[in-house]
Amino acid sequence: MVRRAKQMAIIPILIIAVAAFGVLFVVTDQETNRSIHVKGVFVLFDEKELLNRIMSLSAEEHDRQRFIDEVYNMLNSEPYVASSSIRYSWPNEVEISITEINPLAVVNQSALLLGDCRIVSGSQISSTASLVNIEIDEKSVDEKKCQELMNILPVIRKIPVINLSVLVNDDYILETGGGQLVAGYKSIIEDREKVRKLAVMIHTGELDAEYV
């Protein structure tokens, strides 16, 4: 416990913004003399929390494979990680590259819908302000419903929809900020240009509400 507390208190000695790749964080564990380089473009992760978790891993300096395994297992347990790679280089440097998964939408203002249909707790919701919010019973999001949502989202991203509510009869309410447009799944997909035009008219106040 003493060792873990000491490692958690270590302060990163260098933080460099790298425009071409994203962000590179370099930290040195003064107890194991292990230099850790973490690279990635982070939206969902809290970088300081991520670094602290990596630094708190307990493998000794000489036990490189154990440390790699611990980092790998930790990252694989994170729902936001799409892929990661870990490489040890001489003399005692660890290079960790992380690619975040892209969330598709916010769900009920408190979770995130991921591309593999998982709905996960959205601790970094504030970082996803550009995503539309979907109001839906999370238990109803089966494979079929998820596929519907993935088909709809590219359509409504091009119109000023800020909230998408799923009704019991499988109609959708598109809230634009100026009013509501109610549309069925088939209409949204097959008459997308009409839906977009009506949504814009509602947003600008030319229409109060519409059903298609």
Side-chain angles (χ1 to χ4, degrees), residues 91-210:
N92 199 19
E93 295 189 351
V94 184
E95 296 180 6
I96 304 171
S97 296
I98 302 171
T99 302
E100 283 188 341
I101 195 166
N102 291 322
L104 299 178
V106 176
V107 178
N108 300 327
Q109 304 287 358
S110 62
L112 294 171
L113 174 65
L114 305 183
D116 57 5
C117 292
R118 284 180 297 156
I119 296 177
V120 299
S121 174
S123 59
Q124 300 294 323
I125 291 294
S126 59
S127 302
T128 59
S130 62
L131 297 178
V132 66
N133 178 65
I134 301 174
E135 296 290 340
I136 189 172
D137 178 2
E138 295 181 22
K139 295 179 181 179
S140 70
V141 184
D142 55 14
E143 185 176 348
K144 179 177 180 291
K145 180 57 66 177
C146 183
Q147 188 58 56
E148 277 191 13
L149 292 171
M150 286 194 286
N151 292 340
I152 289 173
L153 287 170
V155 177
I156 66 175
R157 284 195 190 106
K158 298 182 179 181
I159 55 181
V161 173
I162 58 175
N163 197 75
L164 180 70
S165 298
V166 184
L167 302 180
V168 176
N169 62 356
D170 287 339
D171 280 345
Y172 291 84
I173 299 178
L174 286 66
E175 297 181 26
T176 69
Q180 296 182 343
L181 172 64
V182 181
Y185 171 73
K186 186 176 181 180
S187 296
I188 296 173
I189 300 302
E190 296 183 0
D191 299 325
R192 60 185 64 191
E193 292 306 321
K194 178 181 178 181
V195 168
R196 287 172 180 164
K197 182 178 179 179
L198 289 172
V200 170
M201 293 175 69
I202 292 172
H203 179 68
T204 58
E206 295 178 62
L207 291 173
D208 292 328
E210 190 66 39

Side-chain angles (χ1 to χ4, degrees), residues 1-18:
M1 293 299 293
V2 174
R3 173 181 171 78
R4 184 176 293 270
K6 288 171 65 177
Q7 287 184 328
M8 289 290 284
I10 293 172
I11 300 174
I13 62 171
L14 184 62
I15 299 179
I16 307 174
V18 182

